[in-house]
Amino acid sequence: MGALDETTALVTGASSGIGEATAHELAERGANVVLVARRRATLEALAEELEAAYDARAVVADGDVRERATAEAAVDAATDRFGGLDIVVANAGVGRGSDVASMTDEEYFTMQETNVDGTFFLTREALPHLEASEGTLVVVGSFAGQFPRSFNPVYAATKWWARGFAHSVAAQVGDEGVAVSVVNPSEVRTEFGSEDGEPFEERFEPGSVTEPGEVAEAIAFAATREGSSAQEIDLYRRDKFAGNL
């Protein structure tokens, strides 16, 4: 028996990186998992892996989190197939461009719509079900949402928004028994950055920064609290602040 037996989790950005690792972590602990991302074939392959490795039940709900209909369909998939929803992981996020002066409208709106609108749509759709189950919402934030980020102020602003939104939602729904957690990694060895150049999984050597599985473990820790909530968990590479004092 796993710590999450008979629970249902929904994970966005599940086709790679943190989302994929989180799907594995939650399924291994016994959860049914709804997988959300744009790449349906990749999600279907992941669903087969989860079912084979952990005897888990997994459902694919492909779509773009920037679209309200994706959140609606994903939550409906969870409730229709499994009868409820206990854990929601708002993980999908992107970074584009860098400095404000040269940022294109497309880069700006892609980050705003994915990191902000996607988190809002999912949270709004899921909250009634999390209230019914006294479940957990986990928002994947970032180091960039806690400290000034000269490299990309717009990306940082979307993560500041996500973090502030999550904490304010926690204040609103705490009386309903819903736990809300924010998990803030710094650099993680994933596909992040591939749209603008070298992805983090190639830029950083194994062991030099955080691995997706470490973030997934933190998300699972938040999802398994009983009667309390892990309000915020920071996962930084060990030398993140070296030379800054």
Side-chain angles (χ1 to χ4, degrees), residues 1 3 8 23-24 29 31 41 48 58 71 101 105 132 139 143 167 171 176 186 193 204 225 233 239:
M1 299 289 286
T8 297
H24 275 277
R29 293 170 183 246
E48 292 179 2
D105 290 354
V139 175
F143 176 90
H167 287 321
E176 305 301 325
S186 55
F204 298 104
R225 298 309 88 201
I233 302 173
D239 65 346

Side-chain angles (χ1 to χ4, degrees), residues 138-160:
V138 181
V139 175
V140 177
S142 172
F143 176 90
Q146 299 172 296
F147 300 94
R149 185 176 176 86
S150 61
F151 173 72
N152 193 329
V154 173
Y155 174 76
T158 66
K159 289 300 186 177
W160 278 83

Side-chain angles (χ1 to χ4, degrees), residues 96-111 154 196:
R96 296 287 189 276
S98 56
D99 61 285
V100 172
S102 65
M103 181 166 289
T104 66
D105 290 354
E106 181 180 6
E107 290 169 336
Y108 170 80
F109 283 116
T110 295
M111 287 189 286
V154 173
D196 293 321

Side-chain angles (χ1 to χ4, degrees), residues 5-235:
D5 282 345
E6 307 304 322
T7 65
T8 297
L10 187 159
V11 182
T12 65
S15 60
S16 66
I18 294 170
E20 180 183 4
T22 298
H24 275 277
E25 187 72 27
L26 299 180
E28 185 175 12
R29 293 170 183 246
N32 305 313
V33 186
V34 178
L35 307 170
V36 185
R38 290 175 295 176
R39 296 178 284 188
R40 183 172 185 84
T42 303
L43 293 180
E44 289 175 341
L46 175 58
E48 292 179 2
E49 288 180 27
L50 300 179
E51 291 169 356
Y54 315 114
D55 195 26
R57 293 187 292 169
V59 172
V60 170
D62 59 307
D64 191 330
V65 298
R66 295 181 294 178
E67 303 293 334
R68 181 180 60 207
T70 297
E72 294 171 351
V75 171
D76 285 346
T79 57
D80 291 347
R81 177 68 182 275
F82 302 120
L85 187 56
D86 304 282
I87 303 161
V88 172
V89 182
N91 164 69
V94 297
R96 296 287 189 276
S98 56
D99 61 285
V100 172
S102 65
M103 181 166 289
T104 66
D105 290 354
E106 181 180 6
E107 290 169 336
Y108 170 80
F109 283 116
T110 295
M111 287 189 286
Q112 184 74 15
E113 292 167 2
T114 304
N115 302 354
V116 173
D117 297 352
T119 300
F120 169 75
F121 290 145
L122 178 63
T123 301
R124 183 177 65 179
E125 196 67 25
L127 272 182
H129 303 282
L130 293 178
E131 290 175 2
S133 66
E134 295 192 348
T136 301
L137 169 67
V138 181
V139 175
V140 177
S142 172
F143 176 90
Q146 299 172 296
F147 300 94
R149 185 176 176 86
S150 61
F151 173 72
N152 193 329
V154 173
Y155 174 76
T158 66
K159 289 300 186 177
W160 278 83
W161 183 94
R163 180 168 173 257
F165 176 68
H167 287 321
S168 297
V169 169
Q172 187 174 79
V173 300
D175 284 345
E176 305 301 325
V178 179
V180 182
S181 300
V182 184
V183 176
N184 301 305
S186 55
E187 297 85 350
V188 183
R189 287 195 348 107
T190 67
E191 294 178 353
F192 188 86
S194 60
E195 296 84 0
D196 293 321
E198 188 179 24
F200 280 8
E201 61 190 354
E202 296 179 8
R203 186 182 308 177
F204 298 104
E205 293 293 327
S208 64
V209 296
T210 305
E211 295 291 338
E214 297 178 84
V215 185
E217 289 174 358
I219 291 169
F221 175 84
T224 52
R225 298 309 88 201
E226 295 183 7
S228 62
S229 60
Q231 183 182 40
E232 194 153 16
I233 302 173
D234 297 336
L235 288 171

